[in-house]
Structure formats: C-alpha cells, structure tokens
Amino acid sequence: ALVKLAVLDASYNQISALPPAVGVMTWLHRLSLKGNFITELPTSLHLMLRGNINTLDVSDNGLKSPPPEVVAHGTDSMLDYLRRIHLAETSAVLDLSDMALSYIPSDVMRFFQIRGIECVGLKRLILDGNEISSLPNYLRAMTTLTHISIKYCNFSKLPHWLGDLNDLVRLDIIGNDISSPP
C-alpha cells in the first residue's frame, strides 16, 4: 500500500476529489495536488498532522474548503482547519478562532441537519479573532446553537434574526465596534 512513498506529486491532472483514505498516508513528506479541479479537501486529511507531512500544495484548484485565507497560511493551517471541522462532527462545537477568515465558510452548513421535525447539529460556534464582519442569514436556521462567540472580529452591528435562535444562551461580542446591543 505504498508505505514507503515519501513524495506524491499529482499536479496538473484531472483530479476532482480525494478519497478519505488519503489522510492515513501519514508517511508522506510532500503531497502536491497543484492545478487540478479539487474544490474540497476531505477532513480525514487532518490525520497527516500525526505524520511527517511538511508540504501540502493545493494551489490552482479553486478550493472552497479550506477557504483561501486558510490555504494562504500554509500546510499546518490547512490541516488544523480540517482537524477542527472533523472534531466538530462529533462534539457539536466548531471553533474556527484565529483562522484569518473574512467570512464564515460554507463548511458551517454541513452541521445543519433536520431529522423528522427536529433540527439537530451545531451547539457552539466560536469565530473569535477573525476578520468577519457579518453573520450569514443561513445561521438563523441553525436553531440548535446555544453559544456564538465572535470576540475581536470586525462587527459593527448584529443581525436582527439572532432573536430567532431560541436556544441561544450565550453571545460573546467583546472587542468589536458594535454601537447597540442585540
């Protein structure tokens, strides 16, 4: 199963998706997927943090996940982002603090699920220390949220629909430029 493979360069092919099993290739030092058609990296790729990976090149792919701001910060940031998404899948707590994000990535929507008449999904969303200045409207449908933290971001106002989140018990907005409370 290619257990001695240290470098895999699959640049400039027609690859549109990676199998989740690529994450277990912890013996790789360098993985280059430059110039393909990959829009999303599997969260299992975070497992490479346990290994020897020092270069993950996914440039020129049009990635949506991880977001471009995360990709621009290099291999460790990308793998950390994927690790955080993966952890949230079992903990219902998504912490994307200090990821240099200018918007809330669409990955957040993967945690919105409806089972029967009940909405299940994310309980806590932590976005502290990013460049985010607004909350997307789709968050209003995430009625399972009990805690939103947007400390030290770039908010000047909060959306009116926050009042629709009936289970929300904690809202941290420290260090923004908000002129009136929600």
Side-chain angles (χ1 to χ4, degrees):
L2 303 173
V3 294
K4 293 186 178 185
L5 188 67
V7 176
L8 175 56
D9 191 340
S11 298
Y12 302 105
N13 279 289
Q14 302 294 314
I15 300 169
S16 60
L18 294 176
V22 75
V24 299
M25 298 175 77
T26 57
W27 52 85
L28 281 176
H29 293 279
R30 184 181 187 312
L31 174 59
S32 181
L33 299 163
K34 183 177 183 175
N36 281 286
F37 299 96
I38 301 166
T39 57
E40 183 176 331
L41 295 178
T43 58
S44 64
L45 211 57
H46 83 279
L47 296 170
M48 289 186 154
L49 279 172
R50 296 182 193 161
N52 300 313
I53 191 86
N54 54 34
T55 303
L56 173 60
D57 186 353
V58 290
S59 57
D60 300 329
N61 269 290
L63 273 179
K64 290 181 175 47
S65 177
E69 297 98 330
V70 174
V71 173
H73 283 89
T75 299
D76 288 344
S77 290
M78 284 187 282
L79 296 178
D80 184 37
Y81 177 88
L82 294 171
R83 179 187 61 81
R84 293 177 189 209
I85 297 290
H86 179 76
L87 288 173
E89 290 169 355
T90 55
S91 71
V93 176
L94 180 57
D95 184 350
L96 295 178
S97 297
D98 301 311
M99 299 293 297
L101 298 171
S102 60
Y103 62 93
I104 298 176
S106 59
D107 284 322
V108 172
M109 274 309 290
R110 77 173 57 195
F111 299 101
F112 176 71
Q113 304 167 13
I114 296 178
R115 291 192 186 131
I117 59 169
E118 182 183 5
C119 178
V120 295
L122 209 55
K123 297 284 186 193
R124 294 177 60 202
L125 179 60
I126 305 165
L127 301 163
D128 304 341
N130 284 295
E131 300 297 317
I132 299 167
S133 60
S134 65
L135 294 173
N137 284 332
Y138 66 75
L139 284 183
R140 90 186 300 169
M142 298 186 82
T143 56
T144 56
L145 283 170
T146 60
H147 179 193
I148 296 175
S149 184
I150 51 173
K151 295 185 279 190
Y152 303 102
C153 290
N154 288 331
F155 285 86
S156 59
K157 62 181 181 174
L158 295 172
H160 67 283
W161 53 258
L162 276 175
D164 296 341
L165 299 177
N166 293 331
D167 288 345
L168 192 66
V169 294
R170 183 171 178 172
L171 178 62
D172 294 323
I173 58 174
I174 298 166
N176 286 281
D177 290 323
I178 297 169
S179 57
S180 65

